[in-house]
Amino acid sequence: MSLDTPLPVLPQVKGFFDPGTWTVSYVVYALAGSACAIIDSVLDYDPKSGRTSTVSADRVIDFVREQGLQVAWILETHAHADHLSAAPYLKAQLGGQTAMGAHITAVQKVFKGIFNLEPDFAVDGRQFDRLLADGETLPVGDMPLQALSVPGHTPACMAYRVGDAVFVGDTLFMPDVGSARCDFPGGDAQALYASVQRILSLPAQTRLFLCHDYPPEGRTVQFETTVAEQRAANIHLKDGIGEADFVRMRSARDATLAMPVLMLPAVQINIRAGEMPPAEANGVAYLKIPLNAV
């Protein structure tokens, strides 16, 4: 399916903002009682105690049940570095299949080495029910959902297009915030620039749903914009900003950024499709913190 091919469905989108991680999870569906997809779920995690909870995910579950929706897919736009995925919990409660971009295998290979994970940790993506290639289409009831490869923030980043809506993950933020960092392993500012141009080549009225918002002082949280708004006003990627200028800006900016608070726990969980590491002999699962390694 071409990016220029109009899709007839105008989906309904419900966003759930998690203030602890500035993350937005989504449920996309056609009508009450229809099939749906859940995108970028959050499992609450307290880094001080190492405890998890399901407050954020339960809000999604409550909505799905209230609307009488049937979960077809639980999707990730990438292996997040700022929150843990609640995909296994949602799947247990609601059903559905998990899916991720096929290039998650490259991310798994890198981080298996960084965390020195157990020898039998598979780096072929088998933790997910489905690995998606660029352009692949999934059925969400009668709605086709198209996977679009948008590398740059990570090699495995996927955006998802449903009708006039695109869930862009961490490629873009609101116009007054700009774009995602590209300094994680496998990140590439030049690739991100190309990915954003792909998204911004869609029709001007296309709705873009963002995975995060980090609002400047004085603005409330927002997570929906349009191609037209991004092309006119994105501080990093509006029309007229060329690739070389973007790469120069992005590289300089990334050099000043601290590591996300939850990166080390989050990536370990998210490359496992949200599952915890195998429990040790005492029945407890542990996360690793590599010292002086990242």
Side-chain angles (χ1 to χ4, degrees):
M1 185 180 297
S2 167
L3 288 182
D4 296 326
T5 303
L7 299 177
V9 177
L10 296 179
Q12 299 192 56
V13 178
K14 175 67 175 179
F16 299 84
F17 180 70
D18 173 48
T21 61
W22 304 93
T23 301
V24 190
S25 305
Y26 295 100
V27 177
V28 56
Y29 61 105
L31 299 167
S34 66
C36 72
I38 299 171
I39 302 172
D40 289 339
S41 62
V42 173
L43 180 71
D44 302 296
Y45 175 77
D46 178 6
K48 300 182 184 70
S49 67
R51 290 189 175 275
T52 63
S53 64
T54 60
V55 174
S56 294
D58 286 336
R59 293 170 58 209
V60 175
I61 290 171
D62 289 345
F63 177 80
V64 167
R65 289 176 173 164
E66 288 166 2
Q67 296 296 315
L69 302 174
Q70 296 84 50
V71 176
W73 298 99
I74 302 170
L75 305 171
E76 307 288 352
T77 54
H78 61 293
H80 306 276
D82 40 37
H83 70 271
L84 281 61
S85 170
Y89 176 69
L90 291 172
K91 183 177 179 179
Q93 296 292 316
L94 299 171
Q97 293 184 281
T98 59
M100 168 72 87
H103 292 297
I104 187 61
T105 56
V107 179
Q108 289 176 325
K109 289 172 186 174
V110 168
F111 282 101
K112 181 175 183 177
I114 288 174
F115 292 115
N116 194 30
L117 298 179
E118 64 274 12
D120 61 353
F121 174 77
V123 294
D124 58 5
R126 69 181 66 175
Q127 299 85 351
F128 299 87
D129 295 320
R130 182 85 165 258
L131 296 183
L132 301 172
D134 180 41
E136 189 168 351
T137 299
L138 301 175
V140 183
D142 293 332
M143 296 190 304
L145 179 148
Q146 184 185 25
L148 307 176
S149 179
V150 287
H153 177 58
T154 80
C157 286
M158 277 286 184
Y160 298 109
R161 185 187 184 197
V162 190
D164 70 333
V166 181
F167 301 87
V168 300
D170 281 13
T171 55
L172 287 164
F173 298 144
M174 290 300 293
D176 57 357
V177 178
S179 61
R181 64 195 298 167
C182 297
D183 59 333
F184 296 153
D188 185 321
Q190 189 173 20
L192 182 64
Y193 184 86
S195 294
V196 170
Q197 300 313 305
R198 185 184 195 194
I199 292 169
L200 297 186
S201 71
L202 293 167
Q205 70 275 17
T206 302
R207 295 182 290 162
L208 305 180
F209 292 92
L210 316 178
C211 188
H212 301 283
D213 188 33
Y214 307 102
E217 186 175 354
R219 176 169 71 72
T220 59
V221 169
Q222 300 174 34
F223 40 83
E224 179 181 347
T225 179
T226 66
V227 165
E229 290 167 353
Q230 292 283 358
R231 293 186 63 169
N234 186 287
I235 59 173
H236 296 166
L237 287 154
K238 65 185 176 183
D239 287 354
I241 296 178
E243 178 186 277
D245 287 338
F246 172 75
V247 171
R248 189 180 307 112
M249 177 283 301
R250 189 69 265 170
S251 299
R253 181 172 173 78
D254 288 349
T256 70
L257 300 177
M259 183 180 293
V261 172
L262 296 185
M263 178 172 175
L264 296 179
V267 172
Q268 288 180 73
I269 299 299
N270 294 338
I271 61 174
R272 300 176 186 270
E275 296 286 356
M276 298 298 161
E280 299 193 9
N282 63 354
V284 178
Y286 290 85
L287 295 171
K288 291 185 173 184
I289 303 297
L291 299 177
N292 303 313
V294 290

